[in-house]
Amino acid sequence: MLQRYLRLSSTEYMWWKLGYEKYSKVCAESPNGCAPEAQLRAANHTLLREVAAVDLGGGKSIRVGESCQDAVSCIGVGPSRAPARRIRYPQYTLDVVASDVFIAIILNGKGAPELLPRRIGAGTSKARSDMA
Amino acid sequence: MTADGLEHALADQPYRYEGLLDTWVPYRSYPGIGIAARLGPQKTVEELVLVRSAMRSSE
């Protein structure tokens, strides 16, 4: 359990260091011994928060699950509507798939907005994903 | 962005391949964070999709 915590929680938490101290004490009595702190830090895989919104800049953003009515008041009606209600917004380099709410937001060009997945917890580190 | 860049940015998040939006085009889907990616023939990311789970065709 401690090893799982050390693998999945951010090493930036103060609890991570305390967790490692506890882990060291517990596994010192184990025949397999302890994994070194550096090894556990290297194997650390912090989970990311769900990404549900796209920041369009200028104080505008759209969110998966947002009602079309609310979103259209923010970004306007798209110029084209495909039969599957895939709506293209070339000014934002994205498409949305919508019924009465936004079901999917598709970033598909070099000028598309960036996504900034954030780690779960209070840590401030970010992973960055952008179309290039 | 390349597939390697995507893997680096999403840091070992679990993924699976599945169709999205009632198509059979395979997307690399990261269900835990609500993102899917369509990779092109040169291993570049052609589309990044923020998606609700109900739109995944396998569900």
Side-chain angles (χ1 to χ4, degrees):
Chain A
M1 186 178 80
L2 279 168
Q3 210 162 14
R4 178 177 164 77
Y5 172 80
L6 294 170
R7 189 165 51 85
L8 296 177
S9 297
S10 172
T11 56
E12 294 164 8
Y13 289 172
M14 65 176 184
W15 300 112
W16 196 94
K17 186 71 177 172
L18 294 174
Y20 183 77
E21 289 173 11
K22 179 75 173 173
Y23 164 78
S24 301
K25 287 177 187 170
V26 171
C27 69
E29 299 165 9
S30 160
N32 296 328
C34 298
E37 182 176 345
Q39 182 182 325
L40 287 172
R41 282 183 182 276
N44 182 269
H45 300 306
T46 308
L47 298 175
L48 299 176
R49 292 179 188 275
E50 183 170 2
V51 180
V54 176
D55 185 352
L56 302 174
K60 297 178 180 177
S61 67
I62 53 174
R63 173 175 296 276
V64 174
E66 183 175 12
S67 86
C68 281
Q69 196 172 0
D70 291 346
V72 163
S73 69
C74 175
I75 62 172
V77 178
S80 66
R81 279 178 180 259
R85 291 184 51 84
R86 178 169 173 157
I87 306 164
R88 175 132 190 86
Y89 285 90
Q91 67 271 40
Y92 298 114
T93 324
L94 59 80
D95 297 358
V96 298
V97 177
S99 56
D100 53 338
V101 297
F102 279 4
I103 297 164
I105 301 169
I106 303 170
L107 312 178
N108 51 10
K110 287 186 178 178
E114 298 171 348
L115 294 182
L116 295 172
R118 295 174 188 273
R119 293 178 178 174
I120 288 174
T124 56
S125 295
K126 297 173 185 173
R128 181 172 172 165
S129 169
D130 57 358
M131 304 293 290
Chain B
M1 171 178 269
T2 64
D4 287 345
L6 181 70
E7 285 168 11
H8 178 72
L10 297 182
D12 296 321
Q13 300 298 302
Y15 65 82
R16 61 190 182 219
Y17 282 94
E18 60 185 4
L20 290 181
L21 311 170
D22 295 329
T23 74
W24 290 104
V25 177
Y27 283 75
R28 183 187 287 191
S29 173
Y30 295 82
I33 54 175
I35 288 177
R38 182 170 64 79
L39 302 180
Q42 304 302 319
K43 285 200 167 185
T44 55
V45 177
E46 302 291 326
E47 290 183 341
L48 270 181
V49 185
L50 276 66
V51 66
R52 300 177 77 187
S53 58
M55 279 303 287
R56 294 181 188 125
S57 64
S58 61
E59 293 178 355

